[in-house]
Amino acid sequence: MPDPQFLLLAMDMRARAEELLARAETFHDADAQRKLRKIAADYENLADLLKRRAGDETYAPSRGRLADTDGMAERPSGDNPKPPASWGIMCRVAAKAKWIGTVKAINEGAAIEAAAKEFKMEAWRLIAVRRRVIT
């Protein structure tokens, strides 16, 4: 099972990246916007590293969120879309993660959005961990 502490840190890094991207939009200076986007991309990279350190078996580098800064683009969906997977949802409480339930979704972001609606919680507090299917 992935280490919840590293997952919490990864979530924090992603939240910081999103905050910096939002702040970059408020600047009129292009150089300042570029620098803030670069810092946000570094936070995303750090979040990816933390997910790998957590031992998350579903780890996949983030794609597309910061495509304008790191040159990565979304992967085409193809003819056979993946079926929804089962995701365990945990809520960040202080420095711990508390299990709150499961949702079905295609990816981590969609799982967090679905859980936020289903459990009526703020998305930034939630962590999604893909559940293994043992056959």
Side-chain angles (χ1 to χ4, degrees):
M1 180 164 174
D3 185 345
Q5 292 290 16
F6 281 119
L7 292 175
L8 285 172
L9 286 172
M11 290 290 293
D12 285 339
M13 296 302 111
R14 289 199 199 289
R16 289 179 188 205
E18 289 176 12
E19 180 183 345
L20 283 173
L21 287 175
R23 285 189 182 186
E25 297 303 316
T26 65
F27 282 79
H28 296 292
D29 182 17
D31 188 47
Q33 284 184 343
R34 184 181 51 76
K35 288 179 181 178
L36 285 173
R37 287 185 182 130
K38 171 67 173 109
I39 294 168
D42 289 342
Y43 273 123
E44 283 285 343
N45 291 336
L46 183 56
D48 288 343
L49 174 68
L50 288 167
K51 291 240 353 178
R52 268 186 269 141
R53 287 286 170 120
D56 187 358
E57 294 173 0
T58 64
Y59 166 77
S62 59
R63 285 177 264 109
R65 288 167 53 142
L66 299 174
D68 58 305
T69 58
D70 62 6
M72 296 175 76
E74 284 287 333
R75 185 183 307 173
S77 62
D79 293 338
N80 298 326
K82 292 181 181 178
S86 182
W87 294 83
I89 305 297
M90 294 182 279
C91 179
R92 305 179 339 170
V93 180
K96 297 180 181 179
K98 179 183 174 189
W99 179 265
I100 59 172
T102 60
V103 296
K104 294 262 187 198
I106 294 175
N107 60 31
E108 180 183 10
I112 289 173
E113 287 179 26
K117 289 177 186 173
E118 184 176 333
F119 302 117
K120 296 177 178 65
M121 300 184 80
E122 295 117 348
W124 66 270
R125 290 187 176 271
L126 302 176
I127 300 169
V129 179
R130 188 173 183 151
R131 299 186 64 171
R132 278 192 195 167
V133 177
I134 300 175
T135 57

